[in-house]
Amino acid sequence: MFESRATLPLLLSLNAGYVDTAGFLALQGLFTAHVTGNFVTLGASLALGTSGALAKLLALPVFCVVVIAVRVLNTVLTNRHWPALELLIALKVLLLITGAALAIQFGPFHDIDGWQAVLTGMVLVSAMAIQNAFHRVHLPSVPPSTIMTGTTTQVMIDLADRIHAPNGTEYQSVARRLVQMSRSMLCFAFGCGAAALLYNCVGIKCFVVPPIVGSLPLILRLIGRSQPSTQS
């Protein structure tokens, strides 16, 4: 279980970077994971008169509604003693599969304000909203998997503290956090680079990857659940 719990955040960061970059490239500037970034691209679309304003305008409300729904669903599942985290991961994977199918069916998107592009974008935004929600609920002590600004800031602060060389327990805590957050950043960056590379090579078919990567945490969780009984 420990191994799956250590690997889970890294896979989430990897997939978030990939989905965000692939969505940005395929949907002309729509952030599907870092949804608040759409405020900037929405402003640019309105100022420059470019397309894509509708999806960027809808992204945050859709994100918020899905997060609220996930919180309620998580509470219901937990109260019924069902595996809430695993079911939410499975739901996210289902949406990633749907998003990939829509992208491949209707893409490449020449009319980014068309219903096909908007629907595809909102499905992907919903998938990432689920990830954001279950991350906050089930992995509260782990660095965010979709927003790297705060993580980067903390890494720089920890590097400064390492230079200052604090001693004892504080030093060990800083060192552990630095490693954890650096890994998250690297996985997110790798996901971004992989999405850009594959989009350049295979185009819209690059959306096949996120459901595969997204299913790995679920597999690890299921394996982790079966381990305690075999080790005791």
Side-chain angles (χ1 to χ4, degrees), residues 38-75:
N38 290 308
F39 289 145
V40 177
T41 54
L42 174 61
S45 296
L46 294 175
L48 300 175
T50 56
S51 60
L54 178 59
K56 293 161 190 172
L57 190 63
L58 289 174
L60 186 60
V62 168
F63 181 90
C64 293
V65 169
V66 173
V67 169
I68 293 172
V70 168
R71 178 58 168 171
V72 173
L73 177 60
N74 182 81
T75 301

Short mmCIF file of all heavy atoms in Angstrom, two decimals, residues 38-75:
data_model
loop_
_atom_site.label_atom_id
_atom_site.label_comp_id
_atom_site.label_asym_id
_atom_site.label_seq_id
_atom_site.Cartn_x
_atom_site.Cartn_y
_atom_site.Cartn_z
N ASN A 38 -7.33 29.84 -17.67
CA ASN A 38 -8.24 30.24 -18.74
C ASN A 38 -8.69 31.69 -18.62
O ASN A 38 -9.17 32.27 -19.60
CB ASN A 38 -9.46 29.31 -18.77
CG ASN A 38 -9.11 27.92 -19.25
OD1 ASN A 38 -8.50 27.74 -20.29
ND2 ASN A 38 -9.48 26.93 -18.46
N PHE A 39 -8.55 32.28 -17.43
CA PHE A 39 -8.84 33.71 -17.31
C PHE A 39 -7.93 34.52 -18.22
O PHE A 39 -8.35 35.49 -18.86
CB PHE A 39 -8.65 34.17 -15.86
CG PHE A 39 -9.70 33.65 -14.92
CD1 PHE A 39 -9.37 33.32 -13.62
CD2 PHE A 39 -11.01 33.49 -15.32
CE1 PHE A 39 -10.33 32.84 -12.73
CE2 PHE A 39 -11.98 33.02 -14.46
CZ PHE A 39 -11.63 32.69 -13.15
N VAL A 40 -6.66 34.11 -18.26
CA VAL A 40 -5.68 34.82 -19.09
C VAL A 40 -5.98 34.61 -20.56
O VAL A 40 -6.04 35.57 -21.35
CB VAL A 40 -4.25 34.34 -18.77
CG1 VAL A 40 -3.24 35.02 -19.69
CG2 VAL A 40 -3.91 34.61 -17.31
N THR A 41 -6.19 33.35 -20.96
CA THR A 41 -6.43 33.08 -22.37
C THR A 41 -7.79 33.62 -22.82
O THR A 41 -7.96 33.98 -23.98
CB THR A 41 -6.34 31.57 -22.65
OG1 THR A 41 -7.21 30.86 -21.77
CG2 THR A 41 -4.92 31.07 -22.44
N LEU A 42 -8.76 33.67 -21.89
CA LEU A 42 -10.06 34.27 -22.22
C LEU A 42 -9.88 35.76 -22.50
O LEU A 42 -10.42 36.29 -23.48
CB LEU A 42 -11.05 34.07 -21.08
CG LEU A 42 -12.41 34.78 -21.22
CD1 LEU A 42 -13.14 34.29 -22.46
CD2 LEU A 42 -13.26 34.57 -19.97
N GLY A 43 -9.12 36.43 -21.64
CA GLY A 43 -8.85 37.85 -21.87
C GLY A 43 -8.16 38.09 -23.18
O GLY A 43 -8.49 39.04 -23.91
N ALA A 44 -7.21 37.20 -23.50
CA ALA A 44 -6.49 37.34 -24.78
C ALA A 44 -7.44 37.13 -25.96
O ALA A 44 -7.37 37.85 -26.96
CB ALA A 44 -5.33 36.35 -24.84
N SER A 45 -8.34 36.14 -25.83
CA SER A 45 -9.29 35.87 -26.92
C SER A 45 -10.21 37.06 -27.16
O SER A 45 -10.49 37.44 -28.30
CB SER A 45 -10.13 34.63 -26.59
OG SER A 45 -9.33 33.48 -26.52
N LEU A 46 -10.67 37.66 -26.06
CA LEU A 46 -11.57 38.80 -26.20
C LEU A 46 -10.84 40.02 -26.75
O LEU A 46 -11.37 40.76 -27.58
CB LEU A 46 -12.19 39.13 -24.84
CG LEU A 46 -13.13 38.06 -24.26
CD1 LEU A 46 -13.58 38.45 -22.87
CD2 LEU A 46 -14.33 37.83 -25.17
N ALA A 47 -9.60 40.23 -26.30
CA ALA A 47 -8.85 41.39 -26.74
C ALA A 47 -8.42 41.27 -28.19
O ALA A 47 -8.45 42.25 -28.94
CB ALA A 47 -7.62 41.60 -25.85
N LEU A 48 -8.03 40.07 -28.59
CA LEU A 48 -7.51 39.87 -29.95
C LEU A 48 -8.59 39.44 -30.93
O LEU A 48 -8.34 39.35 -32.13
CB LEU A 48 -6.39 38.82 -29.92
CG LEU A 48 -5.18 39.17 -29.05
CD1 LEU A 48 -4.20 38.00 -29.02
CD2 LEU A 48 -4.49 40.43 -29.56
N GLY A 49 -9.77 39.15 -30.41
CA GLY A 49 -10.86 38.74 -31.30
C GLY A 49 -10.70 37.35 -31.85
O GLY A 49 -11.28 37.02 -32.89
N THR A 50 -9.95 36.49 -31.15
CA THR A 50 -9.75 35.12 -31.61
C THR A 50 -10.87 34.23 -31.06
O THR A 50 -11.63 34.61 -30.18
CB THR A 50 -8.39 34.59 -31.16
OG1 THR A 50 -8.27 34.71 -29.74
CG2 THR A 50 -7.26 35.39 -31.81
N SER A 51 -10.93 33.00 -31.58
CA SER A 51 -11.98 32.08 -31.18
C SER A 51 -11.60 31.36 -29.88
O SER A 51 -10.48 31.46 -29.40
CB SER A 51 -12.22 31.04 -32.29
OG SER A 51 -11.04 30.31 -32.53
N GLY A 52 -12.56 30.63 -29.33
CA GLY A 52 -12.30 29.83 -28.14
C GLY A 52 -12.79 30.43 -26.85
O GLY A 52 -12.59 29.85 -25.78
N ALA A 53 -13.46 31.59 -26.92
CA ALA A 53 -13.89 32.26 -25.69
C ALA A 53 -14.95 31.45 -24.95
O ALA A 53 -14.97 31.43 -23.72
CB ALA A 53 -14.42 33.65 -26.03
N LEU A 54 -15.82 30.77 -25.68
CA LEU A 54 -16.93 30.06 -25.04
C LEU A 54 -16.42 28.95 -24.11
O LEU A 54 -16.84 28.86 -22.95
CB LEU A 54 -17.86 29.48 -26.10
CG LEU A 54 -19.05 28.66 -25.57
CD1 LEU A 54 -19.93 29.51 -24.65
CD2 LEU A 54 -19.87 28.10 -26.73
N ALA A 55 -15.53 28.11 -24.61
CA ALA A 55 -15.00 27.01 -23.80
C ALA A 55 -14.26 27.54 -22.58
O ALA A 55 -14.37 26.99 -21.47
CB ALA A 55 -14.08 26.13 -24.64
N LYS A 56 -13.49 28.61 -22.76
CA LYS A 56 -12.72 29.17 -21.65
C LYS A 56 -13.65 29.81 -20.61
O LYS A 56 -13.35 29.80 -19.42
CB LYS A 56 -11.73 30.19 -22.19
CG LYS A 56 -10.64 29.55 -23.05
CD LYS A 56 -9.94 30.53 -23.96
CE LYS A 56 -9.04 29.80 -24.94
NZ LYS A 56 -8.48 30.69 -25.97
N LEU A 57 -14.77 30.34 -21.08
CA LEU A 57 -15.75 30.93 -20.17
C LEU A 57 -16.47 29.86 -19.36
O LEU A 57 -16.78 30.04 -18.19
CB LEU A 57 -16.76 31.76 -20.97
CG LEU A 57 -17.72 32.66 -20.18
CD1 LEU A 57 -16.95 33.73 -19.41
CD2 LEU A 57 -18.71 33.31 -21.13
N LEU A 58 -16.71 28.72 -19.99
CA LEU A 58 -17.45 27.63 -19.34
C LEU A 58 -16.56 26.80 -18.41
O LEU A 58 -17.07 26.13 -17.51
CB LEU A 58 -18.07 26.71 -20.39
CG LEU A 58 -19.25 27.25 -21.19
CD1 LEU A 58 -19.64 26.26 -22.28
CD2 LEU A 58 -20.43 27.54 -20.27
N ALA A 59 -15.26 26.82 -18.64
CA ALA A 59 -14.36 25.90 -17.94
C ALA A 59 -14.46 26.00 -16.43
O ALA A 59 -14.59 24.98 -15.74
CB ALA A 59 -12.92 26.14 -18.40
N LEU A 60 -14.40 27.21 -15.88
CA LEU A 60 -14.41 27.35 -14.42
C LEU A 60 -15.75 26.94 -13.80
O LEU A 60 -15.76 26.20 -12.81
CB LEU A 60 -14.04 28.77 -14.02
CG LEU A 60 -13.86 28.99 -12.51
CD1 LEU A 60 -12.77 28.09 -11.95
CD2 LEU A 60 -13.57 30.45 -12.20
N PRO A 61 -16.91 27.39 -14.34
CA PRO A 61 -18.18 26.91 -13.77
C PRO A 61 -18.32 25.40 -13.82
O PRO A 61 -18.79 24.78 -12.85
CB PRO A 61 -19.24 27.60 -14.63
CG PRO A 61 -18.56 28.80 -15.18
CD PRO A 61 -17.14 28.41 -15.38
N VAL A 62 -17.95 24.80 -14.94
CA VAL A 62 -18.02 23.33 -15.05
C VAL A 62 -17.11 22.68 -14.02
O VAL A 62 -17.50 21.72 -13.33
CB VAL A 62 -17.63 22.89 -16.48
CG1 VAL A 62 -17.43 21.37 -16.54
CG2 VAL A 62 -18.69 23.31 -17.48
N PHE A 63 -15.91 23.19 -13.89
CA PHE A 63 -14.95 22.69 -12.92
C PHE A 63 -15.54 22.75 -11.51
O PHE A 63 -15.50 21.76 -10.75
CB PHE A 63 -13.67 23.51 -12.99
CG PHE A 63 -12.58 23.08 -12.04
CD1 PHE A 63 -11.65 22.13 -12.42
CD2 PHE A 63 -12.49 23.64 -10.78
CE1 PHE A 63 -10.66 21.73 -11.54
CE2 PHE A 63 -11.50 23.25 -9.90
CZ PHE A 63 -10.57 22.29 -10.27
N CYS A 64 -16.12 23.88 -11.14
CA CYS A 64 -16.67 24.07 -9.80
C CYS A 64 -17.83 23.12 -9.53
O CYS A 64 -17.92 22.52 -8.45
CB CYS A 64 -17.12 25.51 -9.62
SG CYS A 64 -15.76 26.71 -9.61
N VAL A 65 -18.73 22.97 -10.49
CA VAL A 65 -19.88 22.09 -10.33
C VAL A 65 -19.43 20.65 -10.13
O VAL A 65 -19.95 19.92 -9.26
CB VAL A 65 -20.84 22.20 -11.53
CG1 VAL A 65 -21.88 21.09 -11.50
CG2 VAL A 65 -21.52 23.56 -11.56
N VAL A 66 -18.43 20.22 -10.92
CA VAL A 66 -17.94 18.85 -10.81
C VAL A 66 -17.26 18.61 -9.46
O VAL A 66 -17.45 17.57 -8.83
CB VAL A 66 -16.98 18.52 -11.97
CG1 VAL A 66 -16.32 17.15 -11.76
CG2 VAL A 66 -17.72 18.55 -13.30
N VAL A 67 -16.48 19.58 -8.99
CA VAL A 67 -15.83 19.43 -7.69
C VAL A 67 -16.86 19.28 -6.58
O VAL A 67 -16.72 18.42 -5.69
CB VAL A 67 -14.90 20.63 -7.40
CG1 VAL A 67 -14.44 20.62 -5.95
CG2 VAL A 67 -13.69 20.60 -8.33
N ILE A 68 -17.92 20.08 -6.61
CA ILE A 68 -18.99 19.97 -5.61
C ILE A 68 -19.64 18.59 -5.70
O ILE A 68 -19.87 17.92 -4.67
CB ILE A 68 -20.04 21.07 -5.81
CG1 ILE A 68 -19.43 22.44 -5.49
CG2 ILE A 68 -21.26 20.82 -4.93
CD1 ILE A 68 -20.33 23.61 -5.85
N ALA A 69 -19.92 18.14 -6.91
CA ALA A 69 -20.56 16.83 -7.10
C ALA A 69 -19.66 15.71 -6.59
O ALA A 69 -20.14 14.75 -5.97
CB ALA A 69 -20.89 16.63 -8.57
N VAL A 70 -18.36 15.83 -6.84
CA VAL A 70 -17.42 14.80 -6.39
C VAL A 70 -17.36 14.76 -4.87
O VAL A 70 -17.30 13.69 -4.26
CB VAL A 70 -16.03 15.05 -6.99
CG1 VAL A 70 -14.97 14.17 -6.31
CG2 VAL A 70 -16.04 14.78 -8.48
N ARG A 71 -17.38 15.94 -4.25
CA ARG A 71 -17.35 15.98 -2.78
C ARG A 71 -18.57 15.28 -2.19
O ARG A 71 -18.47 14.49 -1.25
CB ARG A 71 -17.30 17.43 -2.30
CG ARG A 71 -17.31 17.60 -0.81
CD ARG A 71 -16.15 16.88 -0.15
NE ARG A 71 -16.01 17.28 1.24
CZ ARG A 71 -15.21 16.69 2.10
NH1 ARG A 71 -14.48 15.63 1.72
NH2 ARG A 71 -15.11 17.12 3.35
N VAL A 72 -19.74 15.55 -2.77
CA VAL A 72 -20.96 14.90 -2.30
C VAL A 72 -20.90 13.40 -2.55
O VAL A 72 -21.23 12.59 -1.66
CB VAL A 72 -22.19 15.51 -3.00
CG1 VAL A 72 -23.45 14.72 -2.65
CG2 VAL A 72 -22.36 16.97 -2.61
N LEU A 73 -20.46 13.02 -3.75
CA LEU A 73 -20.37 11.60 -4.08
C LEU A 73 -19.38 10.89 -3.17
O LEU A 73 -19.63 9.76 -2.71
CB LEU A 73 -19.95 11.45 -5.54
CG LEU A 73 -19.73 10.01 -6.05
CD1 LEU A 73 -21.00 9.19 -5.90
CD2 LEU A 73 -19.25 10.03 -7.50
N ASN A 74 -18.25 11.53 -2.89
CA ASN A 74 -17.25 10.93 -2.01
C ASN A 74 -17.83 10.69 -0.61
O ASN A 74 -17.58 9.65 0.00
CB ASN A 74 -16.04 11.85 -1.91
CG ASN A 74 -14.94 11.27 -1.04
OD1 ASN A 74 -14.16 10.44 -1.48
ND2 ASN A 74 -14.86 11.72 0.21
N THR A 75 -18.61 11.64 -0.12
CA THR A 75 -19.23 11.48 1.20
C THR A 75 -20.20 10.31 1.21
O THR A 75 -20.22 9.50 2.15
CB THR A 75 -19.97 12.78 1.59
OG1 THR A 75 -19.04 13.86 1.61
CG2 THR A 75 -20.60 12.64 2.96
#
